[in-house]
Amino acid sequence: MTSWLRHLERHRTDRIGWLRAAVLGANDGIVSTASLIVGVAAAQSSTSSILVTGVAGLFAGAMSMAAGEYVSVYSQADTEHADLARERAELASDPGGELRELTSIYESRGLSPELAHQVAEQLMAHDALAAHARDELGLSASLGAKPFQAAWASAASFSAGALLPLAVTALAPASSLIYWVSGTSLVFLADLGALAASVGGASALRGAARITFWGALAMAITAGAGKLFGAAV
């Protein structure tokens, strides 16, 4: 009964792939769109121009995030597949050497030579490639590269994040637009940082502070550039 319950346990490492892409996308959506809006507003642009710029930034950013995440994660997947192909060939050409290699790995983790050899033999008899992928290469199904998942998560979360400062821009008074967008975006970022940290099992306060600091810095620099050049940036 205990072993059955342990088998059903869920760990936070299962969330790493989609959580990383979702948090990165939402953070970038809020920060880049809010910074763009604040920069254009600081250049004394009209509200309609600011909204058009923000919407264009949303679509461009979402596509950029999806493409960048897909290419990046696909490169990781290619590397994983190449390593697995090499390992498969080595298992076919030198199974004895691969057995000794796996045995030495288990010995380095604290098993006695006899037990390490026995464990390596049994695992290789069950699924040699999976044993070497997990214990030699550090690859697992839950942490494997998933390009499409990462691309969709990034694009969707970027769009969701970008919609927040855009909604504020559409509703806020033109005279105080910069303050409304900046203030609410920092609140959104703090909430995102706290939520992401909590889901990942880390400190919510530290996660909120970290993401808010960089968001504030990005908006301040962009606003300064817009004010300095007097044009949309």
Side-chain angles (χ1 to χ4, degrees):
M1 183 68 175
T2 303
S3 60
W4 179 76
L5 289 174
R6 186 180 299 116
H7 180 70
L8 294 180
E9 286 180 356
R10 295 183 62 84
H11 299 280
R12 290 186 172 92
T13 51
D14 295 337
R15 309 168 181 170
I16 286 177
W18 65 263
L19 180 61
R20 171 189 168 276
V23 172
L24 178 62
N27 173 72
D28 200 21
I30 297 172
V31 172
S32 63
T33 306
S35 298
L36 187 64
I37 289 171
V38 168
V40 174
Q44 306 300 317
S45 300
S46 65
T47 302
S48 59
S49 297
I50 296 171
L51 280 171
V52 170
T53 302
V55 171
L58 185 156
F59 283 100
M63 293 301 98
S64 176
M65 287 292 294
E69 197 70 22
Y70 180 83
V71 171
S72 174
V73 178
Y74 211 104
S75 297
Q76 178 187 339
D78 286 341
T79 301
E80 292 177 0
H81 293 156
D83 282 343
L84 288 174
R86 178 180 178 181
E87 199 63 37
R88 188 180 292 109
E90 291 175 348
L91 284 167
S93 62
D94 186 16
E98 291 301 298
L99 175 61
R100 290 190 294 273
E101 186 176 30
L102 199 59
T103 298
S104 67
I105 291 174
Y106 296 144
E107 285 184 42
S108 69
R109 295 179 181 176
L111 297 184
S112 66
E114 295 79 12
L115 182 56
H117 182 75
Q118 182 181 2
V119 171
E121 275 190 325
Q122 292 188 10
L123 288 178
M124 287 187 65
H126 175 68
D127 191 336
L129 183 61
H132 281 270
R134 180 181 60 251
D135 295 319
E136 182 184 348
L137 303 178
L139 302 179
S140 68
S142 63
L143 300 180
K146 299 179 178 64
F148 284 107
Q149 181 190 71
W152 281 110
S154 293
S157 56
F158 181 97
S159 300
L163 283 172
L164 297 175
L166 274 174
V168 174
T169 302
L171 298 173
S175 58
S176 55
L177 180 62
I178 292 178
Y179 304 107
W180 274 100
V181 172
S182 300
T184 54
S185 294
L186 292 178
V187 173
F188 297 147
L189 287 171
D191 290 340
L192 173 64
L195 177 62
S198 297
V199 172
S203 167
L205 182 60
R206 188 175 302 167
R210 181 169 54 239
I211 198 171
T212 302
F213 169 78
W214 289 107
L217 182 62
M219 283 185 277
I221 291 175
T222 312
K227 193 72 174 179
L228 177 64
F229 294 105
V233 292

